[in-house]
């Protein structure tokens, strides 16, 4: 069940998207599906429209302050609207930038076929019988029509148990392309690379678009690969049970660096995680933690390294030594 805050954020994202001249017919179809998903969506969208109207008063005030110099009637008639429009645009930009800074995945989640907010996971069965698990703060598009079943990972990470069938199953995202027929595997999309881990079966991993067969790597059970900017790296062996523990609701850490810990917290916590990376160099942490209780991870950091966390309303969590 989506929270009221999440729905409000999605409504604003949709309003801004549909006002953009580049909005497509497909965007509008997705918007209509979003409206139909929950009776609260229409009300939230109306409130987003009202937000734009409320900008009118402050914008006119800013325009009056910025444009106080006297003008002739003819000039004022032709150009009087320009300062107001500029002020309105500035206010809108501040609202949008603030929302996207606090929640960078807002637009991807609001416009995806299936998505999860930070701290929320989701399991679904697709029309072909494939099991799909979305981790926190993830978004995918699903297209099962045509000769190839296709899932596009727009954000976050997913685990799939692909139903065997006559049609190939392809997952793309972040410059990576994974082709399977029936297998269990996980795929995670990070800032600079896509990581693929096979739990059972066999997958083929290459770049996207698929224009270079020579770079395709074959992965089997217990193997992992990273695809960086569309270029597959080397295949190496891993403990898939540990690597994919998140799909079972666990966070397993083995002398994990702080960057890995922070990434997990950012998936689970609302808002942003604020910290000075230099102050946490050398921090390591091991243990097993429930993924839906980020406070347990914060408590472990406090006990092991004296790291304190402070909640900043409307912003996120601040970590300090």
């Amino acid at each position: 069940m989506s929270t009221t805050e999440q729905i409000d954020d999605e409504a604003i994202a949709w309003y801004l998207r549909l006002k953009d001249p580049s909005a497509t017919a497909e965007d509008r179809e997705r918007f209509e599906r979003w409206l139909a998903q929950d009776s609260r969506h229409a009300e939230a969208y109306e409130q987003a429209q009202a937000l734009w109207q409320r900008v009118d008063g402050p914008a006119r005030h800013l325009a009056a302050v910025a444009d106080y110099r006297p003008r002739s009637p003819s000039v004022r008639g032709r150009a009087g609207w320009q300062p107001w429009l500029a002020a309105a645009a500035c206010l809108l930009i501040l609202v949008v930038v603030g929302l996207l800074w606090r929640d960078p995945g807002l637009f991807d989640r609001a416009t995806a076929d299936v998505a999860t907010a930070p701290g929320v996971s989701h399991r679904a069965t697709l029309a072909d019988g494939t099991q799909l698990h979305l981790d926190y703060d993830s978004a995918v598009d699903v297209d099962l029509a045509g000769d190839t079943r296709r899932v596009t990972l727009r954000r976050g990470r997913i685990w799939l148990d692909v139903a065997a069938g006559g049609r190939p199953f392809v997952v793309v995202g972040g410059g990576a392309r994974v082709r399977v027929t029936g297998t269990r595997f996980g795929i995670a999309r990070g800032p600079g690379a896509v990581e693929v881990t096979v739990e059972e079966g066999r997958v083929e991993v290459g770049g996207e678009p698929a224009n270079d067969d020579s770079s395709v790597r074959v992965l089997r059970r217990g193997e992992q690969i990273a695809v960086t900017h569309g270029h597959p790296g080397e295949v190496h062996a891993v403990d898939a049970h540990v690597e994919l523990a998140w799909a079972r609701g666990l966070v397993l850490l083995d002398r994990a660096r702080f960057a890995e810990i922070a990434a997990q917290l950012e998936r689970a916590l609302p808002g942003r995680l604020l910290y000075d990376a230099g102050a946490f160099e050398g921090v390591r942490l091991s243990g097993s933690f429930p993924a839906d209780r980020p406070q347990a991870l914060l408590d472990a950091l406090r006990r092991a390294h004296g790291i304190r966390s402070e909640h900043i309303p409307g912003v996120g969590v601040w970590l300090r030594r």
Side-chain angles (χ1 to χ4, degrees), residues 136-157:
Y136 303 155
D137 191 14
S138 299
V140 298
D141 292 332
V142 180
D143 182 4
L144 301 182
D147 296 333
T148 299
R149 299 171 288 173
R150 185 182 181 94
V151 170
T152 301
L153 177 59
R154 298 175 61 172
R155 180 177 185 84
R157 56 188 183 184

Side-chain angles (χ1 to χ4, degrees), residues 16-34:
L16 296 175
R17 177 57 183 160
L18 295 181
K19 282 184 67 66
D20 191 324
S22 67
T24 65
E26 185 179 1
D27 289 331
R28 291 180 172 80
E29 290 176 3
R30 287 178 176 168
F31 169 67
E32 293 299 331
R33 292 201 299 269
W34 177 80

Side-chain angles (χ1 to χ4, degrees), residues 16-284:
L16 296 175
R17 177 57 183 160
L18 295 181
K19 282 184 67 66
D20 191 324
S22 67
T24 65
E26 185 179 1
D27 289 331
R28 291 180 172 80
E29 290 176 3
R30 287 178 176 168
F31 169 67
E32 293 299 331
R33 292 201 299 269
W34 177 80
L35 279 181
Q37 286 172 1
D38 193 311
S39 59
R40 296 173 293 175
H41 289 181
E43 181 181 355
Y45 188 75
E46 290 177 1
Q47 292 173 352
Q49 290 176 308
L51 174 64
W52 172 264
Q53 295 172 359
R54 288 197 295 271
V55 167
D56 180 89
R60 289 184 182 276
H61 173 73
L62 285 179
V65 173
D67 193 42
Y68 66 91
R69 290 171 298 178
R71 298 170 181 242
S72 67
S74 60
V75 172
R76 193 160 43 242
R78 291 195 305 269
W81 60 272
Q82 293 177 348
W84 175 87
L85 182 60
C90 288
L91 282 177
L92 182 59
I93 289 170
L94 287 175
V95 171
V96 174
V97 169
L99 284 172
L100 294 180
W101 179 86
R102 182 179 182 274
D103 187 357
L106 174 62
F107 180 74
D108 280 334
R109 297 197 308 271
T111 58
D113 292 337
V114 188
T116 55
V120 179
S121 62
H122 177 68
R123 286 187 178 272
T125 301
L126 303 184
D128 67 340
T130 293
Q131 300 295 314
L132 172 66
H133 175 81
L134 279 76
D135 194 25
Y136 303 155
D137 191 14
S138 299
V140 298
D141 292 332
V142 180
D143 182 4
L144 301 182
D147 296 333
T148 299
R149 299 171 288 173
R150 185 182 181 94
V151 170
T152 301
L153 177 59
R154 298 175 61 172
R155 180 177 185 84
R157 56 188 183 184
I158 57 175
W159 175 91
L160 299 108
D161 185 352
V162 178
R167 295 179 299 154
F169 194 105
V170 172
V171 182
V172 298
R177 179 183 179 89
V178 183
R179 187 179 186 276
V180 302
T181 52
T183 187
R184 295 200 301 269
F185 69 102
I187 176 169
R189 181 169 178 171
V194 175
E195 193 173 75
V196 181
T197 307
V198 178
E199 184 177 353
E200 289 287 348
R202 173 182 179 274
V203 306
E204 296 177 358
V205 180
E208 174 68 13
N211 54 10
D212 183 7
D213 292 340
S214 65
S215 66
V216 173
R217 308 283 191 267
V218 176
L219 275 70
R220 296 176 174 80
R221 176 180 180 180
E223 293 183 332
Q224 186 180 80
I225 193 172
V227 181
T228 306
H229 303 301
H231 301 288
E234 296 300 320
V235 178
H236 58 278
V238 296
D239 186 340
H241 183 77
V242 173
E243 293 289 328
L244 299 175
W246 56 266
R248 304 190 304 276
L250 293 174
V251 178
L252 301 182
L253 302 176
D254 182 13
R255 288 191 54 78
R257 296 176 180 273
F258 185 76
E260 181 181 347
I261 301 167
Q264 177 59 38
L265 287 170
E266 286 176 332
R267 294 186 189 100
L269 293 169
R272 300 302 299 267
L273 187 69
L274 307 176
Y275 59 92
D276 178 3
F280 298 100
E281 189 173 349
V283 169
R284 299 288 188 276

